[in-house]
Amino acid sequence: MHNGHDTHNLRSKRWFADTTMRAFSHRARLSQVGYNRRDFIGKPVIAIINTWSDISTCHTHLRERADHVKYGIVQAGGFPIELPAMSLGEVMVKPTTMLYRNMLAMEVEELLRSHPVDGAVLMGGCDKTTPALLMGAISMNIPAVFMPAGATLSGWFHGKKVGTGTHTRAYWDALRAGEISDTEWSELEQTMTRSFGTCNTMGTASTMTFIAEALGMSHPNSTTVPAADSAHMRLAKTVGGRIVHMVQQDIKPRDIITADSVENAIVVYMALGGSTNAIVHLLAIAGRAGIDLNYGHFEKWGHTAPIANLMPSGKYLMEDLFYAGGSIALMSRLKPYLHLSAKTVNGKTLGENIADATVYDDDVIRPLATPVTDRQSLAILRGNMCPDGAVIKPSAASPELLQHTGPALVFEDHVDMTARIDNADLNVTKDTVLVLKNAGPVGGPGMPEWGALPIPKKLLQRGVRDMVRISDARMSGTHFGTCILHVAPESAIGGPLSCVQTGDVVSLDVNKGHLHMHISDAEIARRLSNRMATHMTYKRGYGVIYQNHVMQANHGADFQFMTGTAPIDEPQIF
């Protein structure tokens, strides 16, 4: 990295500034759509990687925002080109957007490699989009800045603040228990999500955009700007101008994302009480940057209690956090634990960016001495059920269930669970441990967000709202409950989870970090030797690549062949 303003070594010159016939063709094609040589020759060419689509409701405004980014690029002396990329709209994409996170990361890397691009603005925000954009940009390693989509406005229902996802599950349980009517359920559908933008709770989307900022990859205080606020348009222009200067200064992702900045991201993640999905994504992001990261690094900070009083661990929403001072205000509370010298995309250090931040509401952003809950944000579990680890979010779990022993009720897959969970004759009590198999990276496939297994209807009607639930799946960051997730190795590849049977006694002790099934090692070995694979397998297409090459959750569920920083030659131009 250097601090000069050099445009002589622009990568795009290979396409445009040569005297060959092929360079003539490149210039002629731009002339074809109304550009002159002076519009792009000698100027940084900036790709706007836009994950907009009509059905990705978190991103429907990004088509308009891209125009604001372009304005900023042109003002700063750059030449913008918008490149559409796969839009991973959570909820709509089946079986899960996680199946396609690695595909989007590959697409981003190859879009940047194959085009005459000197830098990139990465536009996204919905759950898997943020890590995918960062992973691709890190692997390509040309100047890049992340532009968050912003959260939707706060939702309201019958005079109460409601959070996207968090109250979906709560009111769904109420509907199944007969506590609200179909009319009220329909009314909630129209009022919960009031604008375009990502989930307004501290779910995966907001957790990951916060992490992007803590890593140094987005503009200071950009994370908490609501999608529908006019400040979001101004942010887009600022980001557009900044990326031009980043190209001139040659500031690349791997100059910014270091072991220190990754630790900053973990510290912020714990203070948020963020989504458990962030563990998988941070492991993958670090892997792309060649940084050693494992569960031990999360355990170091996992005891931290959240200070962001946001649903599902707290009571507020992202719009409230914006008014309380935003992301820089929250990070200012964490100064004693952050590497303040870490570099960021605006050319300043993290410490400089948060130096003058002010917290305007101590209930939304709690002081370190008065966290939202005394329960930790994250715990890593180990035991004979999960030799390579599992995760739980104690801050969103029921305190009385964090130490629990009970008989297992096993579902072989999601279809089995859906078919039986509401049967009146289901042999289940509040002490039962619900277990779901075949929901991991290979088995799901794609490790869907099935980990918050529904409470059986017969128990809902008796007032039960939480149980211990175990799976190799993920859980939506907007949800709550005593859910053990990311069990590794997963059941589909022969992990011990695959041999659990209904009636086996299972013990959880979060304080000790233990998850244990009361079965002898010999019996586990016998059952595993007799197991038969029951998960769905792809016969063709991308799914074959995914199931054959995806790593386990404790390694970030990336493709093995995409990790690391081994260089790839620039494309030859003929």
Side-chain angles (χ1 to χ4, degrees), residues 229-250:
D229 197 293
S230 62
H232 200 259
M233 302 177 197
R234 297 191 293 273
L235 171 65
K237 294 176 186 176
T238 299
V239 168
R242 179 57 199 157
I243 186 59
V244 175
H245 298 303
M246 287 180 67
V247 170
Q248 293 166 342
Q249 296 166 339
D250 196 29

Side-chain angles (χ1 to χ4, degrees), residues 443-524:
M447 206 179 173
E449 292 181 340
W450 296 338
L453 280 72
I455 305 300
K457 187 175 182 178
K458 64 190 292 184
L459 296 183
L460 286 174
Q461 292 170 338
R462 298 174 194 167
V464 177
R465 288 297 181 270
D466 194 12
M467 301 170 69
V468 175
R469 290 162 273 181
I470 302 172
S471 73
D472 43 15
R474 295 176 301 108
M475 177 176 80
S476 169
T478 66
H479 288 173
F480 53 88
T482 311
C483 302
I484 294 111
L485 311 159
H486 309 185
V487 169
E490 65 174 301
S491 58
I493 66 169
L497 182 66
S498 66
C499 72
V500 185
Q501 297 177 1
T502 294
D504 290 341
V505 176
V506 176
S507 290
L508 166 68
D509 191 326
V510 171
N511 287 335
K512 293 182 178 178
H514 291 169
L515 180 63
H516 182 77
M517 50 185 175
H518 295 263
I519 309 170
S520 69
D521 291 345
E523 176 62 13
I524 291 173

